[in-house]
Amino acid sequence: MVATGSLSSKNPASISELLDRGYHPERLLSDFDYWDYVVPEPNLNEVIFEESTCQNLVKMLENCLSESKQTKLGCSKVLVPEKLTQRIAQDVLRLSSTEPCGLRGCVMHVNLEIENVCKKLDRIVCDSSVVPTFELTLVFKQENCSWTRFRDFFSRGRFSSGFRRTLILSSGFRLVKKKLYSLIGTTVIEGS
């Protein structure tokens, strides 16, 4: 038996229609695909919305780094590992999913840790029309590599006139969530 035609979907009402027509319950269960009946279809609009929200968050983080490079970091280039901002955005969305207003209730403080000193880069308010329900503190980390000593050698010498510093970010980061109106403690995520 194939349930098509006048039946709109595989829901309990459709099954009761079949029972009213005289079909036996044993045959119904064998004829319907069990997972189609039990598991609801995914809402594709939600998936698309979450992906676009994630991409918007990625752009906000990249803009924050871009604007901070000359004003607060004093460098001409910031090199970001591939997919770093994407991973951070996904973690931010995951942390905001349990909040009453979701991402709209988030205030994010973006910092950069350079040689064990934290520098404030920016404060991102996701939706200024919503009272924040939680704060996130994002800490980017500087890559520790040996070539920085070599770079510093040239910056002291005669090559320093046109040479501007390039900042390389590590693939590691720290994300700390603090609920503003709750007694529940903070949540810390260490990304690597």
Side-chain angles (χ1 to χ4, degrees), residues 11-111:
N11 61 31
S14 300
I15 291 173
S16 65
E17 287 176 25
L18 289 172
L19 289 173
D20 291 342
R21 293 183 189 168
Y23 290 104
H24 297 288
E26 308 87 44
R27 284 190 66 196
L28 286 177
L29 289 177
S30 65
D31 291 335
F32 277 112
D33 183 7
Y34 177 77
W35 291 109
D36 284 345
Y37 178 70
V38 174
V39 178
E41 292 183 29
N43 184 350
L44 295 178
N45 291 333
E46 256 183 51
V47 173
I48 291 169
F49 175 73
E50 186 174 317
E51 183 61 31
S52 67
T53 304
C54 187
Q55 290 307 314
N56 287 338
L57 194 51
V58 166
K59 287 179 186 174
M60 291 166 88
L61 292 170
E62 290 172 352
N63 286 340
C64 171
L65 289 170
S66 178
E67 291 171 5
S68 297
K69 70 181 177 186
Q70 291 182 347
T71 58
K72 297 179 181 169
L73 299 174
C75 61
S76 60
K77 291 181 185 177
V78 176
L79 300 179
V80 182
E82 186 177 7
K83 305 280 185 190
L84 175 64
T85 52
Q86 180 79 28
R87 287 184 319 153
I88 293 170
Q90 289 170 346
D91 282 344
V92 168
L93 287 176
R94 189 170 45 79
L95 287 173
S96 65
S97 67
T98 58
E99 293 298 318
C101 298
L103 185 62
R104 297 175 349 150
C106 176
V107 173
M108 189 178 340
H109 302 279
V110 183
N111 301 313

Side-chain angles (χ1 to χ4, degrees), residues 115 141-148 168-170:
E115 298 170 3
K141 297 180 179 183
Q142 181 182 19
E143 181 67 42
N144 293 326
C145 57
S146 60
W147 81 273
T148 55
I168 301 173
L169 295 182
S170 167

